[in-house]
Amino acid sequence: MPKQTSALIRSTAIMLTAAALLSACSAAGTNAPRAPSDSAAGDVKKPEPLVIKGMANLYSQAPTKDSEFWKKMEQEFNVNYTVDWVPADTYQQKLDLVLASGDIPDLMQITNTTAPSILKAAKAGAFWDLTPYLGDFSKYPNFKKYTNQNAWVLSKVNGKNFFVPRTRGNLDSAVFIRQDWLDKLNLKAPATLEQFADVVKTIAKSDPDGNGKADTIGVLPNAGYFAAAFGTREPVRDSNGGILHTNLTANYADYVQYMRELYQAGAIPKEFALINGTQQEEMFMTGRSATFVKNAWHKYRMEQENQKTQPGAKVTILPYLKGPRGYAHIYDLGYFGGMAISKKVDEKKMLRILDFLHATSDEKYYNFVNFGIEGIHYVLKDGFPSLTDAGKKEVNSSFNAPFIFSTAEFAKVDSPLAPMSYNLQVREEMKALYKIDAKIELFNVLQSDAWSSVWSKVKDEFASMEAKAISGAITMDEFKAYQKKLLENPDVVKSASEFAKSYEEFFGKSAAK
């Protein structure tokens, strides 16, 4: 993506300062969503609680409906909110099944707004088109004032807002690496892909955990982070000016080649293709793996977990690594999916649900939605939320999943478990991304019906071919021949022009040249 496009992404994003994160939860009084029939008169009877059936992804233990937080939340916003919690590793599959069945809950968390099934559902009328209701946000000032405005643009489908984006800052994930193991082996934290390869190869051949075996995992393939170093964040065009999906480019093949070499050196485990995200996290927390790609705010927790079995464990984050055609990094879109309202609910209920989401996005509720009740789940230390014992048990990655909340620049960087001084240091480390012209992943935004159609049929096959190429089961020439074969598919050919059109719609004609 050209520099001016990256600048556009960054300059148009409205990110709250640290004050948004540090603000205390103001849960006094009632900020209940208005019903369409409400008036400003003080004697208007409060409407019956809004009954919402929702669906959200679950990373850990979900807050229970009879918990103090949930009861307080329902009272505060005048709702009766029941959530179907689905494990994160299978969430998209469950979404697909629900959409196919047509039995869509009132409110759904959408974790990927460009997933083929989601685009198809939106275009087919499964969700309310909120565009005419949102307008210029004059009726929804919280959305205007407290959320990342760029997210409302990047999450559109055919120019329409079917989702209320779950907005945040652009700083998010990095590679975690065991600093104590680097020290033990007299290694420096890598700054380039080449240095990273040398480091993980050395670790995999050594015995950093002292168990007498050379069984430590160096790294696991992660295209979301590493592929960018090979130029995958820039649009690659065909002879007609169309944009090829990154998976089918020579740049992506170069990423696969890099992982193949690490596999051959023993830095990647033989069973890598079978290890899911939850298992990867567990492996890093228990000292079986030297590296892990995760949201920066988990750094403190990862250190604490590793120290339970290996005293003195220390984690360093690598926001980026310099590569041959760019930097390996993750630069967030400024939102993570969004909430979609089922078209099955009538307009009156849709408006009340929209009001509920608008109410929770008020800056004053940021701490409440993310950390729970002050004095029960967290206390303020130096103005920063610090979890209590109860909070450590109840507040986790899934806590805020069913809500919309105000944007905070460091929402995915600050840990509620860590001292403020620790978080401030991590902030400075992650802010390095601002200095390298960090780029978003284009295909988390660009849309193509033709691609959605063909990818739904070949994505499993592609993943298998990629894994085979990395493991050496097929040659790189065979993998590239497979890419070329897909490029000849009529739907893939058509997708190139659709991606180019989408690119122009999102980023403008000047960026599309």
Side-chain angles (χ1 to χ4, degrees):
M1 184 165 53
K3 270 192 175 182
Q4 62 265 35
T5 306
S6 183
L8 170 68
I9 298 294
R10 207 177 292 126
S11 62
T12 54
I14 295 182
M15 296 185 290
L16 297 181
T17 61
L21 183 60
L22 305 182
S23 60
C25 167
S26 175
T30 300
N31 191 35
R34 57 179 169 79
S37 59
D38 286 351
S39 72
D43 59 350
V44 173
K45 184 179 179 181
K46 182 177 179 179
E48 289 296 314
L50 171 64
V51 177
I52 307 174
K53 292 184 178 180
M55 180 173 161
N57 69 331
L58 179 66
Y59 288 102
S60 186
Q61 183 178 351
T64 61
K65 193 168 172 62
D66 63 352
S67 66
E68 291 187 73
F69 166 75
W70 206 262
K71 288 187 288 186
K72 176 66 176 176
M73 180 276 298
E74 291 188 326
Q75 177 186 16
E76 186 69 17
F77 298 110
N78 194 30
V79 293
N80 181 347
Y81 194 8
T82 302
V83 176
D84 177 14
W85 296 92
V86 181
D89 284 337
T90 58
Y91 190 72
Q92 188 61 49
Q93 294 94 308
K94 178 64 179 291
L95 271 179
D96 293 348
L97 290 173
V98 169
L99 292 173
S101 73
D103 188 18
I104 302 174
D106 303 333
L107 187 61
M108 299 178 73
Q109 181 190 10
I110 306 298
T111 54
N112 181 357
T113 58
T114 59
S117 59
I118 301 303
L119 293 177
K120 182 179 179 181
K123 294 172 183 177
F127 311 127
W128 272 94
D129 173 12
L130 305 175
T131 317
Y133 300 94
L134 295 169
D136 62 358
F137 292 124
S138 59
K139 294 182 179 179
Y140 300 94
N142 291 345
F143 288 157
K144 179 70 174 179
K145 187 176 182 181
Y146 299 126
T147 65
N148 186 329
Q149 297 301 285
N150 203 47
W152 293 92
V153 176
L154 296 181
S155 62
K156 285 184 176 182
V157 177
N158 286 351
K160 300 177 180 179
N161 288 114
F162 290 97
F163 318 112
V164 177
R166 302 181 73 244
T167 74
R168 58 194 190 188
N170 299 95
L171 303 180
D172 187 345
S173 298
V175 168
F176 293 4
I177 189 166
R178 284 288 295 271
Q179 181 63 50
D180 55 314
W181 288 355
L182 295 179
D183 295 340
K184 183 176 182 179
L185 299 173
N186 294 315
L187 299 171
K188 293 182 179 180
T192 68
L193 273 192
E194 185 177 0
Q195 292 172 0
F196 180 82
D198 290 339
V199 164
V200 294
K201 289 175 187 177
T202 299
I203 290 176
K205 293 177 181 178
S206 306
D207 180 25
D209 60 358
N211 70 349
K213 303 176 183 178
D215 59 353
T216 302
I217 296 170
V219 65
L220 289 162
N222 188 302
Y225 179 90
F226 292 102
F230 299 94
T232 61
R233 301 284 168 84
E234 300 285 356
V236 176
R237 296 183 181 273
D238 62 18
S239 59
N240 297 315
I243 294 178
L244 304 180
H245 192 282
T246 191
N247 289 4
L248 305 185
T249 64
N251 295 338
Y252 194 84
D254 288 343
Y255 152 73
V256 174
Q257 174 66 38
Y258 177 77
M259 288 297 163
R260 178 187 179 93
E261 292 171 1
L262 289 177
Y263 181 90
Q264 292 172 341
I268 295 176
K270 293 181 178 180
E271 70 280 8
F272 73 91
L274 302 177
I275 304 174
N276 63 34
T278 301
Q279 291 169 327
Q280 290 181 30
E281 181 172 336
E282 180 66 21
M283 287 176 171
F284 186 77
M285 287 194 304
T286 56
R288 295 171 59 193
S289 178
T291 63
F292 181 47
V293 178
K294 190 70 172 177
N295 316 103
W297 77 268
H298 289 279
K299 178 188 174 186
Y300 183 82
R301 180 172 68 89
M302 293 297 171
E303 281 189 340
Q304 297 298 304
E305 290 296 326
N306 271 288
Q307 288 173 7
K308 291 179 181 179
T309 55
Q310 298 179 37
K314 187 177 180 181
V315 174
T316 287
I317 59 173
L318 307 174
Y320 64 83
L321 293 165
K322 185 174 177 55
R325 288 186 298 281
Y327 293 89
H329 70 285
I330 293 175
Y331 194 68
D332 197 84
L333 295 175
Y335 72 99
F336 176 64
M339 305 300 287
I341 304 175
S342 171
K343 199 60 165 57
K344 286 192 171 185
V345 307
D346 60 30
E347 183 181 41
K348 182 177 180 180
K349 183 170 184 178
M350 177 276 290
L351 287 171
R352 288 197 68 189
I353 293 175
L354 191 58
D355 282 338
F356 166 61
L357 300 178
H358 175 252
T360 62
S361 69
D362 191 312
E363 178 186 38
K364 69 180 181 179
Y365 286 111
Y366 182 87
N367 283 352
F368 179 59
V369 171
N370 285 278
F371 305 116
I373 304 171
E374 184 176 3
I376 296 177
H377 299 101
Y378 75 93
V379 295
L380 292 177
K381 292 184 178 179
D382 298 322
F384 188 83
S386 178
L387 293 181
T388 62
D389 289 340
K392 291 175 183 178
K393 292 179 181 179
E394 298 181 38
V395 179
N396 51 61
S397 301
S398 300
F399 197 78
N400 61 23
F403 306 106
I404 295 296
F405 44 88
S406 63
T407 301
E409 179 178 7
F410 301 107
K412 306 302 290 184
V413 176
D414 290 330
S415 169
L417 302 173
M420 187 174 185
S421 58
Y422 188 97
N423 284 327
L424 290 176
Q425 178 59 41
V426 178
R427 288 184 185 184
E428 290 304 311
E429 294 169 359
M430 288 299 294
K431 282 162 67 175
L433 283 172
Y434 291 150
K435 301 176 182 178
I436 64 164
D437 190 28
K439 298 175 174 65
I440 64 169
E441 170 52 66
L442 282 176
F443 293 93
N444 286 337
V445 177
L446 302 187
Q447 299 165 14
S448 163
D449 288 337
W451 178 261
S452 295
S453 175
V454 69
W455 188 243
S456 64
K457 301 171 186 175
V458 304
K459 63 180 180 180
D460 291 338
E461 179 185 69
F462 184 90
S464 175
M465 291 295 285
E466 180 179 329
K468 288 178 180 179
I470 292 173
S471 68
I474 62 173
T475 66
M476 283 304 301
D477 284 342
E478 288 175 309
F479 179 73
K480 292 174 183 178
Y482 174 68
Q483 287 182 304
K484 184 178 179 181
K485 178 184 176 181
L486 289 180
L487 285 170
E488 295 169 354
N489 182 296
D491 279 333
V492 173
V493 172
K494 184 179 179 182
S495 74
S497 61
E498 292 179 349
F499 279 135
K501 180 181 178 182
S502 181
Y503 187 85
E504 183 175 332
E505 289 175 350
F506 281 111
F507 304 116
K509 291 185 178 181
S510 60
K513 294 180 179 178

